[in-house]
Coordinates of all heavy atoms in Angstrom, one line a residue:
M1 N 19.2 -10.5 -11.8 CA 17.9 -10.1 -11.3 C 17.9 -10.2 -9.8 O 18.1 -11.3 -9.3 CB 16.8 -10.9 -11.9 CG 15.5 -10.7 -11.4 SD 14.2 -11.7 -12.1 CE 14.5 -11.6 -13.8
D2 N 17.7 -9.2 -9.0 CA 17.8 -9.0 -7.6 C 16.5 -9.5 -7.1 O 15.5 -8.9 -7.3 CB 18.1 -7.7 -7.1 CG 18.3 -7.6 -5.6 OD1 18.4 -8.6 -5.1 OD2 18.2 -6.5 -5.2
M3 N 16.5 -10.6 -6.4 CA 15.2 -11.1 -5.8 C 15.1 -10.9 -4.3 O 14.1 -11.4 -3.6 CB 14.9 -12.6 -6.0 CG 14.9 -12.9 -7.5 SD 13.6 -12.0 -8.4 CE 12.2 -12.6 -7.5
N4 N 15.9 -10.1 -3.7 CA 15.9 -9.7 -2.3 C 14.8 -9.0 -1.9 O 14.4 -9.0 -0.8 CB 17.3 -9.3 -1.9 CG 18.5 -10.5 -1.9 OD1 18.1 -11.7 -1.7 ND2 19.6 -10.1 -2.1
A5 N 14.6 -8.0 -2.8 CA 13.6 -7.0 -2.4 C 12.2 -7.5 -2.7 O 12.0 -8.1 -3.8 CB 13.7 -5.7 -3.1
R6 N 11.3 -7.6 -1.8 CA 9.9 -8.0 -2.0 C 9.2 -7.1 -2.9 O 9.2 -5.9 -2.8 CB 9.2 -8.3 -0.8 CG 9.7 -9.3 0.2 CD 8.9 -9.4 1.5 NE 7.6 -9.9 1.3 CZ 7.2 -11.3 1.3 NH1 8.4 -12.1 1.6 NH2 6.1 -11.7 1.1
N7 N 8.6 -7.7 -4.0 CA 7.8 -6.9 -5.0 C 6.5 -6.5 -4.2 O 5.9 -7.1 -3.5 CB 7.4 -7.8 -6.2 CG 8.7 -8.0 -6.8 OD1 9.4 -7.3 -7.4 ND2 8.8 -9.3 -7.4
Q8 N 6.1 -5.5 -4.7 CA 4.9 -4.8 -4.2 C 3.7 -5.5 -4.9 O 3.8 -5.7 -6.1 CB 4.8 -3.2 -4.3 CG 5.9 -2.5 -3.5 CD 5.7 -2.7 -2.0 OE1 4.5 -2.7 -1.5 NE2 6.8 -3.1 -1.3
R9 N 2.6 -5.6 -4.2 CA 1.5 -6.2 -4.8 C 0.8 -5.1 -5.6 O 0.7 -4.1 -5.1 CB 0.4 -6.9 -3.7 CG 1.0 -8.0 -3.2 CD -0.1 -8.7 -2.3 NE 0.4 -9.8 -1.5 CZ 0.8 -11.0 -2.0 NH1 0.4 -11.4 -3.1 NH2 1.3 -11.9 -1.2
P10 N 0.3 -5.3 -6.9 CA -0.4 -4.3 -7.6 C -1.8 -4.0 -7.0 O -2.2 -4.8 -6.3 CB -0.7 -4.9 -9.0 CG -0.6 -6.4 -8.8 CD 0.4 -6.6 -7.6
T11 N -2.1 -2.8 -7.0 CA -3.5 -2.4 -6.6 C -4.3 -2.3 -7.6 O -4.3 -1.7 -8.6 CB -3.3 -0.8 -6.0 OG1 -2.1 -0.9 -5.1 CG2 -4.4 -0.4 -5.3
P12 N -5.6 -3.2 -7.5 CA -6.5 -3.3 -8.4 C -7.2 -2.0 -8.6 O -7.6 -1.3 -7.5 CB -7.4 -4.2 -8.0 CG -6.7 -5.2 -7.0 CD -5.6 -4.3 -6.5
V13 N -7.5 -1.5 -9.7 CA -8.1 -0.1 -9.9 C -9.3 -0.4 -11.0 O -8.8 -0.8 -12.1 CB -7.1 1.0 -10.4 CG1 -7.7 2.2 -10.7 CG2 -5.9 1.0 -9.5
G14 N -10.4 -0.1 -10.5 CA -11.4 -0.3 -11.5 C -11.4 -1.4 -12.4 O -10.4 -1.6 -13.1
G15 N -12.3 -2.3 -12.4 CA -12.5 -3.5 -13.3 C -11.3 -4.5 -13.0 O -11.4 -5.5 -13.8
G16 N -10.7 -4.4 -11.9 CA -9.7 -5.5 -11.5 C -8.4 -5.5 -12.3 O -7.6 -6.4 -12.2
A17 N -8.3 -4.5 -13.1 CA -7.0 -4.4 -13.8 C -5.8 -4.3 -12.9 O -5.9 -3.5 -11.8 CB -7.0 -3.3 -14.9
T18 N -4.6 -4.8 -13.2 CA -3.4 -4.5 -12.4 C -2.6 -3.6 -13.1 O -2.4 -3.6 -14.2 CB -2.6 -5.9 -12.0 OG1 -2.4 -6.4 -13.2 CG2 -3.5 -6.8 -11.2
Y19 N -2.0 -2.7 -12.2 CA -1.0 -1.7 -12.8 C 0.3 -1.8 -12.0 O 0.3 -1.9 -10.8 CB -1.7 -0.3 -12.6 CG -2.9 0.0 -13.4 CD1 -4.1 -0.3 -12.7 CD2 -2.8 0.3 -14.6 CE1 -5.3 -0.1 -13.5 CE2 -4.0 0.5 -15.4 CZ -5.3 0.2 -14.8 OH -6.5 0.4 -15.6
R20 N 1.4 -1.6 -12.7 CA 2.7 -1.6 -12.1 C 3.5 -0.7 -12.8 O 3.3 -0.2 -13.8 CB 3.2 -3.1 -12.0 CG 3.0 -3.9 -13.2 CD 3.8 -5.2 -12.9 NE 2.8 -6.3 -12.6 CZ 2.4 -7.3 -13.5 NH1 2.8 -7.2 -14.7 NH2 1.6 -8.2 -13.1
S21 N 4.7 -0.4 -12.3 CA 5.6 0.5 -12.9 C 6.1 0.0 -14.2 O 6.1 -1.1 -14.4 CB 6.8 0.9 -11.9 OG 7.7 -0.2 -12.0
A22 N 6.6 0.8 -15.1 CA 7.1 0.5 -16.4 C 8.3 -0.3 -16.2 O 8.8 -1.1 -17.2 CB 7.3 1.8 -17.2
A23 N 9.0 0.0 -15.2 CA 10.3 -0.8 -14.9 C 10.0 -2.3 -14.5 O 11.0 -3.1 -14.6 CB 11.0 -0.1 -13.7
Y24 N 8.8 -2.7 -14.2 CA 8.6 -4.1 -13.8 C 8.4 -4.9 -15.2 O 7.7 -4.5 -16.1 CB 7.2 -4.1 -13.0 CG 6.8 -5.5 -12.6 CD1 7.4 -6.1 -11.3 CD2 6.1 -6.3 -13.4 CE1 7.0 -7.3 -11.0 CE2 5.8 -7.6 -12.9 CZ 6.3 -8.0 -11.7 OH 6.0 -9.4 -11.4
T25 N 9.1 -5.9 -15.1 CA 8.9 -6.9 -16.3 C 8.4 -8.2 -15.8 O 8.9 -8.8 -14.8 CB 10.3 -7.1 -17.1 OG1 11.1 -7.6 -16.2 CG2 10.8 -5.8 -17.7
S26 N 7.4 -8.8 -16.6 CA 6.8 -10.0 -16.2 C 7.8 -11.1 -16.3 O 8.6 -11.1 -17.1 CB 5.5 -10.3 -17.0 OG 4.5 -9.4 -16.8
L27 N 7.6 -12.2 -15.4 CA 8.4 -13.3 -15.6 C 8.1 -14.1 -16.8 O 6.9 -14.1 -17.1 CB 8.2 -14.2 -14.3 CG 8.8 -13.7 -13.0 CD1 8.2 -14.5 -11.9 CD2 10.3 -13.8 -13.0
L28 N 9.2 -14.6 -17.2 CA 9.0 -15.5 -18.4 C 9.2 -17.1 -18.0 O 9.8 -17.2 -17.0 CB 10.1 -15.3 -19.5 CG 9.9 -13.7 -20.1 CD1 11.1 -13.6 -21.0 CD2 8.5 -13.8 -20.9
P29 N 8.6 -17.9 -18.6 CA 8.7 -19.3 -18.2 C 10.2 -19.9 -17.9 O 10.3 -20.5 -16.9 CB 8.0 -20.1 -19.2 CG 7.0 -19.3 -19.9 CD 7.7 -17.9 -19.7
W30 N 10.9 -19.5 -18.7 CA 12.4 -20.0 -18.6 C 13.0 -19.3 -17.4 O 13.8 -19.9 -16.7 CB 13.2 -19.6 -19.8 CG 13.6 -18.2 -20.2 CD1 12.8 -17.2 -20.8 CD2 14.5 -17.4 -19.5 NE1 13.3 -16.1 -20.8 CE2 14.5 -16.1 -20.1 CE3 15.6 -17.6 -18.6 CZ2 15.4 -15.1 -19.8 CZ3 16.5 -16.6 -18.4 CH2 16.3 -15.3 -18.8
Q31 N 12.6 -18.2 -17.0 CA 13.0 -17.4 -15.7 C 12.7 -18.3 -14.5 O 13.4 -18.4 -13.5 CB 12.7 -16.1 -15.6 CG 13.2 -15.0 -16.6 CD 12.6 -13.9 -16.6 OE1 11.5 -13.7 -16.7 NE2 13.6 -12.6 -16.5
V32 N 11.4 -18.9 -14.5 CA 11.0 -19.6 -13.4 C 11.7 -21.0 -13.4 O 12.1 -21.4 -12.3 CB 9.4 -19.8 -13.6 CG1 8.9 -20.8 -12.4 CG2 8.7 -18.5 -13.4
R33 N 11.8 -21.6 -14.5 CA 12.6 -22.8 -14.4 C 14.0 -22.6 -14.1 O 14.5 -23.6 -13.4 CB 12.5 -23.5 -15.9 CG 11.2 -24.2 -16.2 CD 11.3 -24.8 -17.7 NE 10.0 -24.7 -18.3 CZ 9.6 -23.8 -19.2 NH1 10.7 -23.0 -19.7 NH2 8.5 -23.9 -19.7
E34 N 14.6 -21.8 -14.4 CA 16.1 -21.6 -14.1 C 16.4 -20.9 -13.0 O 17.7 -20.8 -12.5 CB 16.8 -20.9 -15.3 CG 16.7 -21.7 -16.6 CD 17.5 -21.1 -17.8 OE1 18.1 -20.0 -17.6 OE2 17.3 -21.6 -18.9
R35 N 15.5 -20.3 -12.2 CA 15.6 -19.7 -11.0 C 16.3 -20.4 -10.0 O 15.9 -21.6 -9.7 CB 14.4 -19.0 -10.4 CG 14.6 -18.2 -9.1 CD 15.3 -17.0 -9.5 NE 15.5 -16.0 -8.2 CZ 16.5 -15.9 -7.6 NH1 17.7 -16.2 -8.0 NH2 16.5 -15.1 -6.5
R36 N 17.4 -20.1 -9.3 CA 18.1 -20.7 -8.2 C 18.2 -19.8 -7.1 O 18.4 -18.6 -7.3 CB 19.5 -21.1 -8.7 CG 19.5 -22.2 -9.9 CD 18.9 -23.5 -9.5 NE 18.7 -24.3 -10.7 CZ 17.6 -24.6 -11.3 NH1 16.5 -23.8 -11.1 NH2 17.6 -25.4 -12.4
F37 N 18.1 -20.3 -5.8 CA 18.2 -19.6 -4.6 C 19.6 -19.9 -3.9 O 20.0 -21.1 -4.0 CB 16.9 -19.9 -3.8 CG 15.7 -19.6 -4.4 CD1 15.0 -20.6 -5.0 CD2 15.2 -18.3 -4.4 CE1 13.7 -20.4 -5.7 CE2 13.9 -18.1 -5.0 CZ 13.2 -19.1 -5.7
A38 N 20.0 -18.8 -3.3 CA 21.2 -19.0 -2.4 C 20.9 -19.8 -1.2 O 19.7 -19.7 -0.6 CB 21.8 -17.6 -2.1
P39 N 22.0 -20.6 -0.8 CA 21.7 -21.3 0.4 C 21.7 -20.3 1.8 O 22.1 -19.2 1.6 CB 22.9 -22.2 0.7 CG 23.8 -22.0 -0.5 CD 23.1 -20.9 -1.4
T40 N 21.1 -20.9 2.8 CA 20.9 -19.9 3.9 C 22.1 -19.4 4.5 O 22.1 -18.3 5.1 CB 19.9 -20.5 5.0 OG1 20.4 -21.9 5.2 CG2 18.5 -20.8 4.4
G41 N 23.0 -20.3 4.5 CA 24.4 -19.9 5.2 C 24.3 -20.2 6.6 O 23.3 -20.7 7.2
L42 N 25.3 -19.7 7.3 CA 25.4 -20.0 8.8 C 25.2 -21.4 9.3 O 24.6 -21.6 10.4 CB 24.5 -18.9 9.6 CG 24.8 -17.5 9.3 CD1 23.7 -16.6 9.9 CD2 26.2 -17.1 9.7
G43 N 25.5 -22.3 8.7 CA 25.4 -23.8 8.9 C 23.9 -24.3 8.9 O 23.7 -25.4 9.2
R44 N 23.1 -23.4 8.4 CA 21.6 -23.9 8.2 C 21.4 -24.6 6.9 O 22.2 -24.3 6.0 CB 20.6 -22.7 8.5 CG 20.7 -22.1 9.7 CD 19.8 -21.0 9.8 NE 18.6 -21.1 9.3 CZ 17.7 -20.1 8.9 NH1 18.1 -18.8 8.9 NH2 16.6 -20.3 8.4
R45 N 20.5 -25.4 7.0 CA 20.2 -26.1 5.5 C 19.0 -25.5 5.0 O 18.1 -24.9 5.6 CB 19.9 -27.6 6.0 CG 21.1 -28.3 6.7 CD 20.7 -29.7 7.1 NE 20.6 -30.5 5.8 CZ 20.4 -31.8 5.8 NH1 20.1 -32.4 7.1 NH2 20.2 -32.5 4.7
G46 N 19.1 -25.6 3.7 CA 17.8 -25.0 2.9 C 18.2 -23.7 2.1 O 19.3 -23.5 1.9
L47 N 17.2 -23.1 1.9 CA 17.3 -21.9 1.0 C 16.8 -20.7 2.0 O 16.2 -20.8 2.9 CB 16.2 -22.0 -0.2 CG 16.5 -23.1 -1.1 CD1 15.4 -23.3 -2.2 CD2 17.9 -23.2 -1.8
N48 N 17.3 -19.5 1.5 CA 17.0 -18.3 2.1 C 15.5 -17.9 1.9 O 15.0 -17.8 0.9 CB 17.8 -17.1 1.6 CG 17.6 -15.9 2.3 OD1 16.6 -15.7 2.9 ND2 18.7 -15.0 2.2
P49 N 14.7 -18.1 3.1 CA 13.4 -17.8 3.0 C 12.9 -16.5 2.3 O 11.9 -16.5 1.6 CB 12.8 -18.0 4.5 CG 13.9 -18.7 5.1 CD 15.1 -18.4 4.4
D50 N 13.7 -15.4 2.6 CA 13.2 -14.2 2.0 C 13.4 -14.2 0.5 O 12.5 -13.7 -0.2 CB 14.2 -13.0 2.4 CG 13.9 -12.7 3.9 OD1 12.8 -13.1 4.5 OD2 14.9 -12.2 4.7
D51 N 14.5 -14.9 -0.1 CA 14.6 -15.0 -1.5 C 13.4 -15.9 -2.2 O 12.7 -15.4 -3.1 CB 15.8 -15.8 -1.9 CG 17.0 -14.9 -1.7 OD1 16.9 -13.7 -1.4 OD2 18.2 -15.5 -1.8
V52 N 13.0 -17.0 -1.4 CA 12.0 -17.8 -1.9 C 10.7 -17.1 -1.9 O 9.8 -17.0 -2.9 CB 11.9 -19.0 -1.1 CG1 10.6 -20.0 -1.4 CG2 13.2 -19.9 -1.3
Y53 N 10.4 -16.3 -0.8 CA 9.1 -15.7 -0.6 C 9.1 -14.5 -1.7 O 7.9 -14.3 -2.2 CB 8.8 -15.2 0.8 CG 8.5 -16.3 1.8 CD1 9.2 -16.3 2.8 CD2 7.6 -17.4 1.4 CE1 8.9 -17.4 3.9 CE2 7.4 -18.4 2.3 CZ 8.1 -18.4 3.5 OH 7.9 -19.4 4.4
A54 N 10.0 -13.8 -1.9 CA 10.1 -12.8 -2.8 C 9.7 -13.3 -4.2 O 8.9 -12.8 -5.1 CB 11.4 -12.0 -2.8
F55 N 10.4 -14.4 -4.6 CA 10.1 -15.0 -5.9 C 8.7 -15.6 -5.9 O 8.0 -15.3 -7.1 CB 11.1 -16.2 -6.1 CG 11.1 -16.7 -7.5 CD1 11.6 -15.9 -8.5 CD2 10.5 -17.8 -7.7 CE1 11.5 -16.4 -9.9 CE2 10.4 -18.4 -9.0 CZ 10.9 -17.8 -10.1
L56 N 8.2 -16.2 -5.0 CA 6.8 -16.6 -5.0 C 5.8 -15.5 -5.1 O 4.8 -15.6 -5.8 CB 6.4 -17.5 -3.7 CG 7.3 -18.8 -3.7 CD1 6.9 -19.5 -2.4 CD2 6.8 -19.6 -4.9
D57 N 6.0 -14.4 -4.5 CA 5.3 -13.2 -4.6 C 5.2 -12.7 -6.1 O 4.2 -12.4 -6.6 CB 5.7 -12.0 -3.7 CG 5.2 -12.3 -2.2 OD1 4.5 -13.1 -2.0 OD2 5.8 -11.5 -1.4
R58 N 6.4 -12.7 -6.6 CA 6.4 -12.2 -8.1 C 5.7 -13.2 -9.0 O 5.0 -12.9 -10.0 CB 7.9 -12.1 -8.5 CG 7.9 -11.6 -9.8 CD 9.3 -11.0 -10.0 NE 9.4 -10.5 -11.5 CZ 10.3 -10.1 -12.2 NH1 11.6 -10.3 -11.7 NH2 10.3 -9.7 -13.5
V59 N 5.9 -14.5 -8.8 CA 5.2 -15.5 -9.6 C 3.7 -15.3 -9.5 O 2.9 -15.3 -10.4 CB 5.7 -16.9 -9.3 CG1 4.8 -17.9 -10.0 CG2 7.0 -17.1 -9.7
A60 N 3.2 -14.9 -8.1 CA 1.8 -14.9 -7.8 C 1.3 -13.7 -8.7 O 0.2 -13.6 -9.2 CB 1.6 -14.9 -6.3
V61 N 2.0 -12.4 -8.5 CA 1.5 -11.3 -9.2 C 1.4 -11.5 -10.7 O 0.5 -11.2 -11.4 CB 2.6 -10.2 -8.9 CG1 2.4 -9.0 -9.8 CG2 2.5 -9.7 -7.5
D62 N 2.5 -12.2 -11.3 CA 2.4 -12.5 -12.8 C 1.3 -13.5 -13.1 O 0.5 -13.2 -14.2 CB 3.7 -13.1 -13.3 CG 4.7 -12.0 -13.4 OD1 4.5 -10.9 -13.2 OD2 5.9 -12.4 -13.6
M63 N 1.0 -14.4 -12.3 CA -0.2 -15.3 -12.6 C -1.4 -14.5 -12.4 O -2.4 -14.8 -13.3 CB -0.1 -16.5 -11.5 CG 1.0 -17.4 -11.9 SD 1.0 -18.8 -10.7 CE -0.4 -19.6 -11.0
A64 N -1.6 -13.7 -11.4 CA -2.7 -12.9 -11.3 C -3.0 -12.0 -12.6 O -4.2 -11.9 -13.0 CB -2.8 -12.0 -10.1
A65 N -2.0 -11.4 -13.1 CA -2.1 -10.6 -14.3 C -2.5 -11.5 -15.5 O -3.4 -11.1 -16.4 CB -0.7 -9.9 -14.6
V66 N -2.0 -12.6 -15.7 CA -2.4 -13.6 -16.7 C -3.8 -13.9 -16.6 O -4.5 -14.0 -17.6 CB -1.5 -14.8 -16.8 CG1 -2.0 -15.9 -17.7 CG2 -0.1 -14.5 -17.2
Y67 N -4.2 -14.3 -15.4 CA -5.7 -14.8 -15.2 C -6.5 -13.5 -15.5 O -7.7 -13.8 -15.9 CB -5.8 -15.3 -13.8 CG -5.3 -16.7 -13.7 CD1 -4.4 -17.1 -12.6 CD2 -5.7 -17.7 -14.5 CE1 -4.0 -18.3 -12.5 CE2 -5.2 -19.0 -14.3 CZ -4.4 -19.3 -13.3 OH -3.8 -20.5 -13.3
A68 N -6.2 -12.4 -15.0 CA -7.1 -11.1 -15.1 C -7.2 -10.9 -16.8 O -8.3 -10.7 -17.2 CB -6.5 -9.9 -14.5
A69 N -5.9 -11.0 -17.5 CA -6.0 -10.9 -18.9 C -7.0 -11.9 -19.6 O -7.6 -11.6 -20.6 CB -4.8 -10.9 -19.5
L70 N -6.8 -13.1 -19.2 CA -7.6 -14.2 -19.7 C -9.0 -14.0 -19.4 O -9.8 -14.0 -20.3 CB -7.2 -15.6 -19.1 CG -8.0 -16.8 -19.5 CD1 -7.9 -17.0 -21.0 CD2 -7.5 -17.8 -18.8
A71 N -9.4 -13.5 -18.2 CA -10.7 -13.2 -17.9 C -11.4 -12.1 -18.7 O -12.5 -12.1 -19.4 CB -10.9 -12.8 -16.4
E72 N -10.5 -11.1 -19.0 CA -11.0 -9.9 -19.8 C -11.1 -10.4 -21.3 O -12.2 -9.9 -22.0 CB -9.9 -8.9 -19.8 CG -10.2 -7.6 -20.7 CD -11.5 -6.9 -20.3 OE1 -11.9 -7.0 -19.2 OE2 -12.2 -6.4 -21.4
S73 N -10.3 -11.2 -21.8 CA -10.3 -11.7 -23.2 C -11.7 -12.6 -23.2 O -12.3 -12.4 -24.3 CB -9.2 -12.7 -23.5 OG -9.3 -13.2 -24.6
R74 N -12.0 -13.5 -22.3 CA -13.2 -14.2 -22.3 C -14.5 -13.2 -22.4 O -15.4 -13.5 -23.0 CB -13.4 -15.2 -21.1 CG -12.3 -16.3 -21.4 CD -12.3 -17.2 -20.2 NE -11.5 -18.4 -20.5 CZ -11.0 -19.2 -19.6 NH1 -11.3 -19.0 -18.3 NH2 -10.3 -20.2 -19.9
R75 N -14.4 -12.2 -21.6 CA -15.5 -11.2 -21.6 C -15.7 -10.6 -22.9 O -16.8 -10.5 -23.3 CB -15.4 -10.1 -20.4 CG -15.6 -10.7 -19.0 CD -15.6 -9.5 -18.0 NE -14.3 -8.8 -17.8 CZ -13.4 -9.3 -17.0 NH1 -13.7 -10.3 -16.1 NH2 -12.3 -8.6 -16.9
E76 N -14.6 -10.2 -23.5 CA -14.6 -9.6 -24.9 C -15.1 -10.6 -25.8 O -16.0 -10.2 -26.7 CB -13.2 -9.1 -25.2 CG -13.0 -8.4 -26.5 CD -13.7 -7.0 -26.5 OE1 -14.2 -6.6 -25.5 OE2 -13.8 -6.5 -27.7
T77 N -14.7 -11.8 -25.8 CA -15.3 -12.8 -26.7 C -16.7 -13.1 -26.6 O -17.4 -13.0 -27.6 CB -14.6 -14.2 -26.4 OG1 -13.2 -14.1 -26.6 CG2 -15.1 -15.3 -27.2
V78 N -17.3 -13.0 -25.3 CA -18.7 -13.2 -25.1 C -19.4 -11.9 -25.7 O -20.5 -12.0 -26.4 CB -19.1 -13.3 -23.6 CG1 -20.6 -13.0 -23.3 CG2 -18.6 -14.6 -23.1
R79 N -18.8 -10.7 -25.4 CA -19.3 -9.5 -26.1 C -19.4 -9.6 -27.6 O -20.5 -9.1 -28.2 CB -18.5 -8.2 -25.6 CG -19.3 -6.9 -26.0 CD -18.4 -5.7 -25.7 NE -17.1 -5.6 -26.5 CZ -17.1 -5.3 -27.9 NH1 -18.3 -4.9 -28.4 NH2 -15.9 -5.3 -28.5
I80 N -18.4 -9.9 -28.2 CA -18.3 -9.9 -29.6 C -19.3 -11.0 -30.3 O -20.0 -10.8 -31.2 CB -16.9 -10.1 -30.0 CG1 -16.0 -9.0 -29.8 CG2 -16.8 -10.6 -31.6 CD1 -14.5 -9.2 -30.1
K81 N -19.4 -12.2 -29.5 CA -20.2 -13.2 -30.0 C -21.8 -12.8 -29.9 O -22.6 -13.0 -30.8 CB -20.1 -14.5 -29.2 CG -18.8 -15.3 -29.6 CD -18.8 -16.6 -28.8 CE -17.6 -17.4 -29.2 NZ -17.5 -18.7 -28.5
S82 N -22.1 -12.0 -28.9 CA -23.5 -11.4 -28.7 C -23.8 -10.5 -29.7 O -24.7 -10.5 -30.4 CB -23.5 -10.8 -27.3 OG -23.3 -11.9 -26.3
A83 N -22.7 -9.6 -30.0 CA -22.9 -8.6 -31.1 C -23.1 -9.2 -32.4 O -24.1 -8.9 -33.2 CB -21.8 -7.7 -31.2
L84 N -22.4 -10.3 -32.8 CA -22.5 -11.1 -34.1 C -23.9 -11.7 -34.1 O -24.4 -11.7 -35.1 CB -21.4 -12.0 -34.1 CG -21.4 -12.9 -35.5 CD1 -21.4 -12.1 -36.6 CD2 -20.3 -14.0 -35.3
R85 N -24.3 -12.3 -33.0 CA -25.7 -13.0 -33.0 C -26.7 -11.9 -33.2 O -27.6 -12.3 -34.0 CB -25.9 -13.7 -31.8 CG -25.2 -15.0 -31.6 CD -25.6 -15.8 -30.4 NE -24.6 -16.8 -30.1 CZ -23.7 -16.6 -28.9 NH1 -23.8 -15.5 -28.2 NH2 -22.8 -17.5 -28.7
R86 N -26.6 -10.8 -32.6 CA -27.6 -9.8 -32.9 C -27.6 -9.2 -34.3 O -28.7 -9.1 -34.9 CB -27.4 -8.5 -31.9 CG -27.8 -8.7 -30.6 CD -28.0 -7.4 -29.7 NE -26.6 -6.6 -29.9 CZ -25.6 -7.0 -29.0 NH1 -25.6 -7.9 -28.1 NH2 -24.5 -6.2 -29.1
W87 N -26.5 -9.1 -34.8 CA -26.3 -8.6 -36.2 C -26.9 -9.7 -37.2 O -27.7 -9.4 -38.1 CB -24.8 -8.4 -36.6 CG -24.7 -8.0 -38.0 CD1 -24.9 -6.7 -38.4 CD2 -24.3 -8.7 -39.1 NE1 -24.6 -6.5 -39.8 CE2 -24.3 -7.8 -40.3 CE3 -24.0 -10.0 -39.2 CZ2 -24.0 -8.3 -41.5 CZ3 -23.7 -10.4 -40.6 CH2 -23.8 -9.7 -41.6
Q88 N -26.6 -11.0 -36.9 CA -27.1 -12.1 -37.8 C -28.6 -12.2 -37.7 O -29.4 -12.2 -38.7 CB -26.5 -13.4 -37.4 CG -25.1 -13.4 -37.7 CD -24.5 -14.8 -37.2 OE1 -24.8 -15.3 -36.0 NE2 -23.4 -15.3 -37.9
T89 N -29.2 -11.9 -36.5 CA -30.6 -11.9 -36.3 C -31.2 -10.7 -37.0 O -32.3 -10.9 -37.7 CB -31.1 -11.8 -34.8 OG1 -30.4 -13.0 -34.1 CG2 -32.5 -11.8 -34.5
E90 N -30.7 -9.6 -36.9 CA -31.2 -8.4 -37.6 C -31.2 -8.6 -39.2 O -32.1 -8.4 -39.9 CB -30.5 -7.2 -37.3 CG -30.6 -6.8 -35.9 CD -29.6 -5.6 -35.5 OE1 -28.7 -5.2 -36.3 OE2 -29.5 -5.2 -34.3
Q91 N -30.0 -9.3 -39.7 CA -30.0 -9.6 -41.2 C -31.0 -10.6 -41.5 O -31.6 -10.5 -42.6 CB -28.5 -10.0 -41.4 CG -27.5 -9.0 -41.3 CD -27.7 -7.8 -42.1 OE1 -27.8 -7.8 -43.2 NE2 -27.5 -6.5 -41.4
A92 N -31.2 -11.5 -40.6 CA -32.2 -12.6 -41.1 C -33.6 -11.9 -41.2 O -34.3 -12.3 -42.0 CB -32.2 -13.7 -40.0
H93 N -33.9 -11.1 -40.2 CA -35.3 -10.5 -40.1 C -35.3 -9.5 -41.3 O -36.4 -9.6 -42.0 CB -35.5 -9.5 -38.8 CG -35.6 -10.5 -37.6 ND1 -36.8 -11.2 -37.4 CD2 -34.9 -10.5 -36.5 CE1 -36.7 -11.9 -36.3 NE2 -35.6 -11.4 -35.7
A94 N -34.4 -8.7 -41.7 CA -34.4 -7.9 -42.9 C -34.6 -8.7 -44.2 O -35.4 -8.4 -45.0 CB -33.1 -7.0 -42.9
R95 N -33.9 -9.8 -44.2 CA -34.0 -10.7 -45.6 C -35.4 -11.3 -45.5 O -36.1 -11.3 -46.6 CB -33.1 -11.9 -45.3 CG -33.0 -12.7 -46.6 CD -31.9 -13.7 -46.7 NE -31.6 -14.4 -45.3 CZ -30.4 -14.2 -44.5 NH1 -29.6 -13.5 -45.1 NH2 -30.3 -14.7 -43.4
N96 N -36.1 -11.7 -44.4 CA -37.3 -12.1 -44.4 C -38.5 -11.1 -44.8 O -39.3 -11.3 -45.6 CB -37.7 -12.7 -42.9 CG -37.1 -14.0 -42.7 OD1 -36.5 -14.7 -43.6 ND2 -36.9 -14.3 -41.4
E97 N -38.2 -9.9 -44.3 CA -39.1 -8.8 -44.7 C -39.0 -8.5 -46.2 O -40.1 -8.2 -46.9 CB -38.7 -7.6 -43.9 CG -39.1 -7.7 -42.4 CD -38.7 -6.5 -41.6 OE1 -38.2 -5.4 -42.2 OE2 -38.9 -6.5 -40.3
R98 N -37.8 -8.5 -46.7 CA -37.6 -8.3 -48.2 C -38.3 -9.5 -49.0 O -38.9 -9.2 -50.0 CB -36.2 -8.2 -48.5 CG -35.5 -6.9 -48.2 CD -34.1 -6.8 -48.9 NE -33.1 -8.0 -48.5 CZ -32.3 -8.0 -47.6 NH1 -32.3 -7.0 -46.7 NH2 -31.5 -9.1 -47.4
D99 N -38.1 -10.6 -48.5 CA -38.7 -11.8 -49.2 C -40.3 -11.6 -49.2 O -40.9 -12.0 -50.0 CB -38.2 -13.2 -48.7 CG -36.8 -13.4 -48.9 OD1 -36.1 -12.6 -49.8 OD2 -36.2 -14.3 -48.3
Q100 N -40.7 -11.3 -48.0 CA -42.2 -11.1 -47.9 C -42.8 -10.0 -48.7 O -44.0 -10.0 -49.2 CB -42.7 -11.0 -46.4 CG -42.5 -12.2 -45.7 CD -42.8 -12.1 -44.1 OE1 -43.1 -10.9 -43.8 NE2 -42.7 -13.2 -43.3
A101 N -42.1 -9.0 -49.0 CA -42.5 -7.8 -49.7 C -42.6 -8.2 -51.1 O -43.2 -7.4 -51.9 CB -41.5 -6.6 -49.5
R102 N -41.9 -9.2 -51.7 CA -41.9 -9.6 -53.1 C -43.2 -10.2 -53.6 O -44.1 -10.7 -53.1 CB -40.8 -10.5 -53.4 CG -39.5 -9.8 -53.5 CD -38.5 -10.8 -53.9 NE -37.1 -10.3 -53.4 CZ -36.0 -10.8 -53.6 NH1 -36.1 -12.0 -54.2 NH2 -35.0 -10.4 -53.1

């Protein structure tokens, strides 16, 4: 996996969803744990900053996608719960009307 090229940040389009090319694959936890960076070389100590920043950008993009998906899931859960409550209320009202009609 070449980490020298900086990943482009996704552009939010309507509703905050992120879109990226089909060639982009999200990072997996094991990839983050096992990622190693080349030394800077030329007698300098530490890691190549470009490699580190490119990797951090990619992690941030994947985290943003996870958080966006989680937020969407929570919104959907609220929507479904509200619809279920409305349906239950309607059923209770209908049952009460049938019981009163007897």
